Amino acid sequence: MIFGTPVYAGRVPNKVLPMIQGLFQGNDAFAVPVVTFGNRNYDNALIELRNELENNHFHTIAAGAFVAQHAFTDQLATMRPGKSDQEEIRGFAKRIVTIVEMIQTLGKIPKPVHVKGIEPIPPYYTPLGIDGKPAKFLKAKPKTKSNCDHCDLCVKVCPMGSINSEDPSKIDGICIKCQACVKKCPKQAKYFDDPAFLSHVEMLKRNYQRAAKNEIFVSDGRENEIQ
Ligand SMILES: Cc1cc2nc3c(=O)[nH]c(=O)nc-3n(C[C@H](O)[C@H](O)[C@H](O)COP(=O)(O)O)c2cc1C
Ligand code: SF4
Ligand code: SF4
């Protein structure tokens, strides 16, 4: 099984974690944890996802962290994954097939794939503003311009189900700042104006323009005997 999540604050998104913990059981299946990150860093998200899958009785045999355009701005990792990323991803897929074949031939279950990260898993990354100080925007929500025509598209795309269908300018629940409503609104009516959030985005744009690399990890396949 290929199991993917985006990186939020250097970790598996905290709203996704309970689903990973509660909805999946591996029953000794092979798994490949994959994270996407928006050009800053994946920090400890991959090791956290690997550990959660191992806890759920999957055997992780490969893992990858791949760069994807940042949800906050199209000026970070613009249009990635691009052509060369896709070639890397295809190469990764081929290596997964090879390792599965090798493990099946050897008849051994390997140790959890080695990945980059710190254990025990440290706290979430603290977003910073352009002044280098923590930018507190946990409660920031999108606003809505008067040209909204109540098409309800944003209601449908909000992964948290937080946009009120009677009045889409109202955000009733939690906003994870995914920007889906901002991007999908055909009227460009949704926007964020929270100063701390905008300052963080500006800080990212200033400091994380270098093209981050995808990182791939593959098991050597030679560890634990099958019981
Ligand atoms: C709330 C939030 C926090 C994020 N934190 C990070 C981060 O710590 N490091 C990073 O490189 N990218 C970060 N990103 C960018 C996402 O990882 C990126 O948008 C995602 O992998 C691409 O998939 P998407 O199109 O579903 O957003 C964050 C995005 C959001 C919305
Ligand atoms: S998608 Fe845009 S126009 Fe449609 S309801 Fe939402 S804010 Fe209004
Ligand atoms: S940014 Fe994402 S979570 Fe927040 S209201 Fe829009 S769609 Fe929902």
Side-chain angles (χ1 to χ4, degrees), residues 144 148-154 168 185-187 190:
T144 310
C148 163
D149 66 1
H150 294 245
C151 72
D152 270 9
L153 201 56
C154 57
C185 173
K187 298 278 176 184
K190 287 254 180 254

Side-chain angles (χ1 to χ4, degrees), residues 81-154:
K83 216 172 163 211
S84 71
D85 296 310
Q86 285 169 24
E87 275 164 27
E88 278 185 60
I89 292 165
R90 271 189 215 101
F92 181 48
K94 285 183 186 152
R95 288 185 69 187
I96 293 169
V97 173
T98 307
I99 189 72
V100 168
E101 285 168 354
M102 186 173 119
I103 292 166
Q104 283 170 342
T105 308
L106 291 172
K108 294 177 177 190
I109 289 180
K111 270 188 184 169
V113 61
H114 168 80
V115 298
K116 206 171 81 184
I118 300 169
E119 290 181 291
I121 312 288
Y124 294 91
Y125 159 77
T126 303
L128 304 175
I130 36 177
D131 57 3
K133 294 185 182 149
K136 294 182 183 162
F137 54 82
L138 211 59
K139 298 212 167 135
K141 293 176 179 183
K143 291 196 173 156
T144 310
K145 294 181 200 162
S146 58
N147 64 337
C148 163
D149 66 1
H150 294 245
C151 72
D152 270 9
L153 201 56
C154 57

Side-chain angles (χ1 to χ4, degrees), residues 6-11 36-43 68-72 125 176-178 183:
V7 174
Y8 277 16
R11 299 261 308 262
T36 59
F37 67 105
N39 215 46
R40 186 189 66 76
N41 203 308
Y42 64 93
D43 297 333
Q69 184 168 301
H70 202 301
F72 290 167
Y125 159 77
I176 58 171
K177 271 62 82 180
C178 73
K183 288 177 184 162

Side-chain angles (χ1 to χ4, degrees), residues 176-193:
I176 58 171
K177 271 62 82 180
C178 73
Q179 311 297 308
C181 58
V182 174
K183 288 177 184 162
K184 293 286 177 183
C185 173
K187 298 278 176 184
Q188 283 85 46
K190 287 254 180 254
Y191 65 101
F192 278 80
D193 67 354

Side-chain angles (χ1 to χ4, degrees), residues 29-33 49-51 53-54 58-63 103 110-115 219:
F30 295 141
V32 178
L49 182 59
R50 181 203 67 179
N51 291 354
L53 293 177
E54 289 283 341
F58 289 97
H59 300 292
T60 56
I61 54 159
I103 292 166
K111 270 188 184 169
V113 61
H114 168 80
V115 298
S219 160

